[in-house]
Amino acid sequence: MHRLSHISTRSRSTLADKLRSAVGGSDYGKSKQALAAGSIAAKDENGEDFRELYVMPKRKLRGQIQLEQNTGRAEIKTRSRFDLMDRLAERPPRSEEMDPEKNKWSDVWPAARTFAASVVPLPVRMGSRPNVEKRAPFKKEGNLELVKIPNFLHLTPVAIKQHCDAIKKFCTPFPPELIATPSLAATCLPISVQYSTYIHQGTNIRDIRSRVVTMIVDVESLKLTENAQEKFIRLAGKRYNKESKKLTIITDRCHTRKQNLDYAHYLLTVLYHEANKVEQWAELKERSDNLQVEFEGSETKTKLVDLIEKAKTAGLKPDESSITEFGEMWKSYRNSEETVDKTREYGRQMKKLLGISGNN
């Protein structure tokens, strides 16, 4: 009984119905076929039409298809058999078919791309092997080391020349005056921008150091008044070089070079406009508030004029025309570090101004 119940349970399954329908022919299960076709409407317990829910797509199982093919009720689709020799035949690499005289390398490799051994007609080798003196590095075919690194096969001298000739019509010629006289660049081009581009071996061609931008500005070329220039130097702080009179701005806070360049221009613009502002407290500025000691209006100049008058009374012949030269030397002496040479120059200028010979 257990075996019969198992068979009866199995006979009521959907798979058994499909197999029985496939073996028994088209007469078996006509009522179910008609029900599926819609000629007979199934009713539920309430007398309403039963709407079937298809969870799986209506397709034939592989066993059903095989049974239909074996019994002759299904057509066996024949496929054209491919020629094994044609499939095994391989075309030679492009590097062997290329003619160097007819094919331009810029047309074969026009832009940056991953290394392809079948295209590059060069016996390139890369990799490390034991006993390098006896065994050469690996060939280019199937060499992953050549695929990992970036290459510059698209930047050949001929390709670069073609690119330059193509964009030359959009460029303006470099001023010949600056080529003949390089010193004019400091006056005509007061702002210079410096940055570096790094090329290295790695999975990423980006380098974090390439974002750093250095801007050098000639402060003397800016249209600033004396008070505005002094305020500009105070705001710049250590970024201003007194000897070269140039301002150096280094920006590296942003992620890209373009952003750092825009930020450097923004800082220069803010410094310029802040220096030109005149506040009410700026009118209270006194001589002692200056960054440097000035010769004009100083007590030294007043005493020097009195000393020259006394020298004339004593019969000496002071050189009054050298007061300007002495004032420049005095300003440099007071506003810089004292050295032996500057002290000697101070004494020589004083003797020259008073008309005292070097032997006295």
Side-chain angles (χ1 to χ4, degrees):
M1 286 299 292
H2 180 67
R3 182 178 298 179
L4 292 176
S5 63
H6 180 71
I7 293 174
S8 61
T9 304
R10 185 66 177 173
S11 62
R12 291 195 298 269
S13 64
T14 306
L15 178 60
D17 293 341
K18 292 182 179 180
L19 293 176
R20 192 180 299 110
S21 175
V23 175
S26 59
D27 296 336
Y28 183 81
K30 286 186 177 180
S31 60
K32 291 187 177 182
Q33 294 178 6
L35 184 64
S39 58
I40 300 176
K43 302 293 183 177
D44 57 4
E45 58 184 3
N46 297 326
E48 297 180 357
D49 294 339
F50 179 77
R51 293 179 292 276
E52 185 179 359
L53 176 63
Y54 297 100
V55 180
M56 297 180 63
K58 287 187 176 182
R59 60 181 178 84
K60 294 182 179 181
L61 300 176
R62 181 178 297 180
Q64 184 178 355
I65 296 174
Q66 290 179 356
L67 286 174
E68 291 179 356
Q69 291 177 355
N70 294 333
T71 55
R73 293 193 306 274
E75 181 181 359
I76 301 176
K77 296 181 180 180
T78 59
R79 298 179 181 178
S80 60
R81 186 177 180 182
F82 59 88
D83 191 355
L84 183 60
M85 299 304 297
D86 293 342
R87 293 291 301 270
L88 294 178
E90 296 181 0
R91 180 181 176 183
R94 185 178 182 180
S95 59
E96 298 180 3
E97 296 181 350
M98 253 191 297
D99 188 359
E101 297 181 358
K102 296 181 180 179
N103 298 94
K104 292 184 179 180
W105 178 247
S106 58
D107 297 338
V108 177
W109 205 283
R113 54 170 294 190
T114 308
F115 182 84
S118 61
V119 180
V120 180
L122 300 174
V124 184
R125 290 176 176 266
M126 188 173 182
S128 60
R129 304 179 69 174
N131 300 326
V132 182
E133 299 177 355
K134 298 181 181 179
R135 303 176 66 186
F138 298 99
K139 295 182 179 180
K140 62 181 180 179
E141 289 81 5
N143 196 330
L144 295 179
E145 299 298 329
L146 291 172
V147 179
K148 293 177 183 178
I149 63 173
N151 60 77
F152 300 93
L153 297 174
H154 61 289
L155 296 178
T156 58
V158 179
I160 294 175
K161 186 177 183 304
Q162 291 179 357
H163 291 177
C164 294
D165 294 339
I167 64 176
K168 187 179 292 184
K169 58 183 179 181
F170 302 106
C171 303
T172 56
F174 195 82
E177 294 80 7
L178 297 180
I179 300 176
T181 311
S183 60
L184 291 177
T187 56
C188 299
L189 304 173
I191 300 177
S192 62
V193 179
Q194 301 175 1
Y195 55 85
S196 301
T197 301
Y198 297 88
I199 302 174
H200 59 90
Q201 176 183 351
T203 57
N204 188 4
I205 62 174
R206 306 294 178 186
D207 195 293
I208 195 171
R209 296 172 295 177
S210 61
R211 76 184 195 280
V212 181
V213 175
T214 302
M215 178 182 290
I216 301 176
V217 184
D218 186 8
V219 180
E220 295 292 334
S221 61
L222 300 177
K223 296 181 179 180
L224 297 171
T225 61
E226 184 177 356
N227 293 332
Q229 185 175 359
E230 182 180 349
K231 189 176 180 181
F232 186 92
I233 295 173
R234 287 179 181 270
L235 292 173
K238 296 181 180 180
R239 299 176 181 84
Y240 177 75
N241 190 349
K242 296 180 181 179
E243 297 180 358
S244 61
K245 297 182 179 180
K246 291 185 178 181
L247 173 69
T248 303
I249 299 176
I250 301 176
T251 55
D252 58 351
R253 295 186 177 184
C254 302
H255 295 283
T256 61
R257 180 186 300 166
K258 178 66 169 56
Q259 293 173 343
N260 285 316
L261 182 59
D262 294 341
Y263 183 57
H265 283 100
Y266 166 76
L267 292 178
L268 180 60
T269 304
V270 171
L271 282 174
Y272 181 81
H273 290 289
E274 286 293 330
N276 284 321
K277 286 183 179 179
V278 180
E279 304 292 344
Q280 295 182 356
W281 51 264
E283 300 177 358
L284 304 176
K285 179 182 176 182
E286 297 180 357
R287 179 182 175 83
S288 59
D289 297 329
N290 294 334
L291 286 175
Q292 296 182 348
V293 182
E294 299 292 339
F295 181 72
E296 295 294 334
S298 62
E299 296 182 2
T300 303
K301 184 177 181 180
T302 304
K303 294 179 180 180
L304 187 61
V305 173
D306 296 339
L307 185 60
I308 290 175
E309 295 296 333
K310 293 179 180 180
K312 290 180 180 180
T313 307
L316 299 176
K317 297 180 179 180
D319 187 4
E320 299 182 6
S321 59
S322 60
I323 295 180
T324 304
E325 183 180 356
F326 177 82
E328 295 177 357
M329 185 276 307
W330 183 87
K331 181 179 179 181
S332 176
Y333 177 78
R334 290 295 305 273
N335 295 302
S336 60
E337 185 179 358
E338 184 178 2
T339 59
V340 177
D341 296 336
K342 290 184 179 180
T343 305
R344 291 175 180 175
E345 180 66 18
Y346 183 88
R348 190 183 66 82
Q349 290 289 343
M350 181 61 71
K351 290 180 180 180
K352 180 182 177 181
L353 183 63
L354 298 177
I356 300 175
S357 60
N359 297 329
N360 296 336

